[in-house]
Amino acid sequence: MRRLGTGIGWRPEIADAVERMPGIDWVEVVAENVCPGHLPESLLRLRERGVTVIPHGVSLGLGGADRPDGGRLTALAERAAALDSPLVTEHIAFVRAGGALTASPHLEAGHLLPVPRTRDALDVLCENVRIAQAALPVPLALENIAALFSWPGEELTEGQFLSELAERTGVRLLIDVANLHTNHVNRGEDPAEALAGLPLEAIAYVHVAGGFERDGVWHDSHAHPVPRPVLDILTGLATRIAPPGVLLERDEDFPEPAELEGELRAIREAVAVGRARAGDTAARTTAVAGAVGAGGGGVGVLARPVAGVRERVAVAQAAVLSSLVAGTPVPEGFDRVRMGVQARALAAKRAGVVAKVAPELPVIVGAGYREAFLEYARQRPMGGGYRRDALDFAGHLLKLGRPGDAGARRELRDWWLDRAGPAPRRRGFAARAARAVLRRQV
């Protein structure tokens, strides 16, 4: 497979600008945001021009205690096929916890959370990766994530964890240098040490993104310019390998196209500086470039038995997630301040995504939307997706007799009624009863 080159994260808000940008070799799209049968015209035009499109998943939760959901795997495979992608990518993270393995309520984080770097967690992750690899039509690459908190009692460093994961499963790695910087600020981890421990031949491509620091905590926002320390880590990586591909991520607060193009130039320059320092070794470049198209299966390293391990990981993850989204006590050994920062970040992200999924809600509720949602989030952890969360939030407000303005309350009721029930002609007793209750309360 050919090298990927320089790319940018495709987002609807900058679709037109991306099509016009010079030097864009490939793009990455959030897998859950596209439908295989109704691909955006912009992506289709890019594909017709020969621009590679890679789906980047955010909801599999391969680091979670449960086995990967078959429906999510099928959906990711369908997107890879529809986009004719050479590989698909996901994250080393858990995004949900609870349920059958713990006999506790199912909880959704709505965000990527770090897995403990322990043998138990690695065993579960490796088995989940193999299940995913068997279901996908192309190789899989996994991304290291940014974290606001650390797990106590970790047994492996970042480099050791990623190296053993790649060795045991043959999975490729998507190295996010911005996340290495985040973990340097938040967890005191040396990016150079992490890079030194990586299996270079497993790297599929690299992410670069911006963020900001507040009160000693780095927030991986994807909404700010790429800072110099992140570019320096990219240069450090490029002294070791010629990255098969480097991609700029930006998810919101999009600047003018010229500013994005300037960041892409800075990324190219950071890689060029690193290659110059390395002497531009041709043999190493060729070897790594071939890694992107290699197969995604394991390499014959036997896994340890997983019996009982999933349950232990499940209990630990459920306790952590419950403390973050349901107000239960912070588990022993965790930094309470950092867990508080993470909890507030999850609630804020939840409010923001619900506003995007259901943009009518902030309009109907008005200036008090964010405050009202955060109050709701403190009482109601997310148990389903964001669309379900939007409906539950609206229902919660209506039960409280809010908004205070009668016109806005009627509008919110009509919005809820329009979206809460099953499809036409299949409305059952429960849906009719719910509507009757709401009509009496409003």
Side-chain angles (χ1 to χ4, degrees), residues 4-11 14 18 21-30 56 143 174-178 205-211 220-227 230-231 234 245-268 271:
L4 290 171
T6 303
I8 189 169
W10 184 93
R11 303 293 184 266
I14 56 172
V18 168
M21 282 182 188
I24 296 297
D25 303 306
W26 63 293
V27 299
E28 181 189 77
V29 61
V30 176
H56 185 53
E143 178 181 349
L174 192 180
I175 298 302
D176 191 314
V177 292
Y205 62 87
V206 178
H207 272 176
V208 182
D220 180 45
S221 67
H222 290 193
H224 293 77
V226 177
V230 171
L231 293 173
L234 176 61
V246 183
L247 180 126
L248 171 64
E249 283 190 297
R250 186 81 175 226
D251 291 332
E252 53 186 315
D253 292 340
F254 299 99
E256 292 299 315
E259 186 173 336
L260 290 175
E261 291 172 18
E263 292 198 78
L264 289 167
R265 285 193 298 272
I267 288 170
R268 294 187 187 97
V271 172

Side-chain angles (χ1 to χ4, degrees), residues 33 63 90 145 194 210 243 260 271 282 286 313 375 377 388 401 425-426:
N33 290 351
E90 248 287 352
I145 72 162
L260 290 175
V271 172
T286 303
V313 172
E375 177 188 351
R388 180 73 257 170
R425 302 181 189 176
R426 298 180 62 186

